[in-house]
């Protein structure tokens, strides 16, 4: 039996996207031959029952008072105070997780450590255990660290600290796993060819909903004379990645084609910046926008099913190397995806490969024309690859991971 010790802070958080991905991956992998143990946060926010899980879970104390202090500094002083590399280093890693991880490695018979970000401090827990015990280590990056494009101020001191931490991860980890080739190239350019030989691309994993749907049930178009044409953004928006450009494009579309004002509905599922809501009101679009709020994973299914088009938005950064996890569910439900993103982003590549649609954030005219085509000849735009989601299926990604561990990591010992 192979026994990894997984550092995954958010494992028990049902509504947190990283927690959902982690549970899909490791719960799907757990069997008589592969049995992970999970080090995670012990927080009052935990809403997944441990007795419902296949993996062994060890929650470590996460100090809420420290989280509130850092959150206050973020709001009152500067947003960058949320990255040091993140507040969980102080509230969780330094207080309990590092000590517990080293203790388990020294006392147990674990084959390797696997750390996952976000949050990035999970890697610092593994780094300390690696230095102390020498255990093999996979550092798995779901999001970028040093080149995080959503820093609001980019204090040079903080950025240099990020770079120093990240370089230690690059040098000490036995394998480095990224979700896409864009960020792999960034790492090789930054840390040299010596890092290239231990970098691997492993896609994020997607687990099908508990209620299995046939292909025709997922992609059935519900738009008709009695049902609005529905565009849905399912996932949170926030400062740095808001929807102001999309709202302006909707305003232009309705100005050009007023006959469609009463048949277009936009669902926002998740958190929405107040500035977006104000802009919707200023543009006289309140009747077109529906704010569903932050809801559970199963509650989202009805919004996936009732949508005609899905919306994916990147921030206006020169280069966005985040893999937007929401698009895996978009792919599964098979509706066309409208992406707003800078050039050469991961989102752009994925949407092109899946035969979906990409526009620059401020291409209001192009977005308005897309919407007109969607309403007047939907079959002409619904040519996206309905099977693309299978690239991220549990079975496929877990098989790749098992090969990576058995053939590459453990053979090095």
């Amino acid at each position: 039996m192979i026994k990894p010790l997984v550092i995954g802070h958010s494992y028990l958080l049902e509504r947190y996207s990283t927690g959902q991905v982690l549970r899909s991956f490791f719960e799907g992998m757990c069997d008589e031959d592969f049995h992970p143990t999970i080090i995670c946060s012990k927080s009052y926010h935990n809403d997944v029952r441990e007795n419902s899980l296949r993996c062994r879970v060890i929650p470590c104390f996460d100090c809420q008072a420290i989280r509130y202090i850092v959150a206050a500094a973020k709001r009152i002083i500067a947003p960058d105070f949320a990255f040091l590399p993140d507040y969980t280093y102080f509230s969780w890693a330094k207080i309990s997780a590092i000590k517990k991880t080293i203790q388990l490695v020294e006392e147990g018979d674990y084959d390797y450590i696997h750390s996952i970000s976000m949050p990035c401090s999970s890697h610092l827990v593994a780094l300390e255990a690696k230095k102390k015990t020498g255990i093999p280590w996979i550092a798995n990056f779901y999001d970028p660290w040093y080149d995080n494009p959503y820093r609001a101020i980019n204090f040079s001191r903080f950025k240099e600290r990020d770079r120093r931490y990240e370089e230690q991860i690059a040098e000490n980890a036995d394998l480095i796993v990224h979700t896409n080739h864009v960020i792999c190239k960034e790492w090789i350019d930054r840390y040299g060819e010596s890092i290239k030989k231990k970098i691997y691309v492993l896609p994020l994993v997607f687990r099908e909903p508990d209620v299995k749907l046939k292909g025709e049930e997922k992609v059935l178009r519900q738009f008709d004379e009695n049902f609005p044409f529905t565009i849905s953004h399912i996932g949170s928006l926030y400062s740095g990645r808001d929807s102001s450009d999309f709202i302006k494009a909707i305003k232009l579309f309705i100005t050009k084609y007023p006959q469609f004002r009463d048949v277009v509905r936009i669902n926002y599922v998740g958190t929405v910046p107040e500035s977006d809501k104000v802009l919707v009101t200023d543009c006289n679009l309140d009747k077109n926008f529906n704010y569903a709020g932050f809801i559970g994973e199963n509650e989202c299914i009805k919004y996936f099913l009732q949508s005609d088009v899905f919306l994916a938005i990147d921030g206006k950064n020169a280069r966005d190397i985040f893999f937007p996890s929401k698009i895996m569910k978009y792919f599964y439900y098979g509706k066309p995806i409208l992406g707003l993103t800078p050039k050469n982003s991961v989102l752009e590549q994925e949407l092109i490969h899946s035969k979906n649609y990409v526009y620059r954030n401020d291409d209001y005219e192009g977005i308005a024309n897309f919407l007109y085509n969607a309403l007047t000849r939907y079959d002409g735009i619904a040519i996206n690859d309905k099977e693309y989601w299978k690239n991220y299926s549990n079975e496929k990604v877990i098989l790749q991971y098992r090969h990576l561990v058995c053939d590459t990591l453990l053979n090095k010992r």
Side-chain angles (χ1 to χ4, degrees), residues 321-338:
I321 57 179
F322 279 86
F323 186 100
S325 59
K326 69 171 65 66
I327 63 174
M328 293 188 294
K329 291 184 179 178
Y330 287 179
F331 291 146
Y332 175 74
Y333 286 94
K335 314 297 176 62
I337 303 171
L338 168 61

Side-chain angles (χ1 to χ4, degrees), residues 267-308:
N267 287 326
Y268 279 175
V269 182
T271 58
V272 181
E274 193 62 32
S275 58
D276 280 359
K277 295 180 180 180
V278 170
L279 183 58
V280 166
T281 299
D282 290 345
C283 293
N284 193 28
L285 297 172
D286 287 306
K287 291 183 179 180
N288 299 96
F289 281 76
N290 170 53
Y291 307 110
F294 197 71
I295 61 178
E297 189 174 6
N298 290 333
E299 295 175 85
C300 289
I301 292 177
K302 69 177 182 181
Y303 291 99
F304 285 112
L305 291 175
Q306 71 181 217
S307 301
D308 296 292

Side-chain angles (χ1 to χ4, degrees), residues 16 74 79-87 117-121 141-156 158-163 166 178 183 186-187 190-191 238-241 314-323:
Y16 192 63
K74 175 182 176 181
D80 274 12
F81 279 98
F83 303 86
L84 289 168
D86 53 72
Y87 58 78
S117 61
M118 300 291 280
C120 291
S121 57
F141 286 81
Y142 284 171
D143 287 323
W145 185 340
Y146 166 73
D147 40 12
N148 185 332
Y150 294 105
R151 279 195 183 278
I153 301 176
N154 279 309
F155 288 129
S156 59
F158 291 171
K159 190 169 184 178
E160 181 53 39
R161 183 172 181 173
D162 279 353
R163 168 67 180 253
E166 188 180 86
H178 286 300
I183 193 171
E186 293 287 330
W187 270 57
R190 186 179 305 143
Y191 300 118
Y238 45 84
S239 177
R241 191 163 72 185
D314 271 341
K316 301 179 188 179
N317 305 288
R319 181 186 69 259
D320 199 324
I321 57 179
F322 279 86
F323 186 100

Side-chain angles (χ1 to χ4, degrees), residues 98-116:
I98 291 174
K99 180 179 179 180
K100 187 64 176 179
T101 300
I102 293 173
Q103 175 190 340
L104 288 170
V105 172
E106 291 179 337
E107 294 178 353
D109 55 349
Y110 296 101
D111 296 291
Y112 67 96
I113 291 179
H114 183 138
S115 59
I116 302 102

Side-chain angles (χ1 to χ4, degrees), residues 229 231 246 249-250 253 338 366-376:
F229 186 88
I231 305 164
F246 175 71
I250 290 290
F253 169 72
L338 168 61
I367 297 167
N369 289 338
F370 168 83
L371 295 174
Y372 177 80
N373 291 331
L375 273 106
T376 57

Side-chain angles (χ1 to χ4, degrees), residues 391-408:
N391 291 311
Y392 305 98
S393 67
N394 242 21
E395 295 78 7
K396 184 172 183 177
V397 179
I398 286 173
L399 183 61
Q400 290 176 278
Y401 179 79
R402 284 177 179 264
H403 286 314
L404 182 63
V405 170
C406 296
D407 299 342
T408 306

Side-chain angles (χ1 to χ4, degrees), residues 222-233:
Q222 299 188 32
F223 171 57
D224 57 35
E225 292 179 355
N226 301 311
F227 199 91
F229 186 88
T230 303
I231 305 164
S232 295
H233 184 280

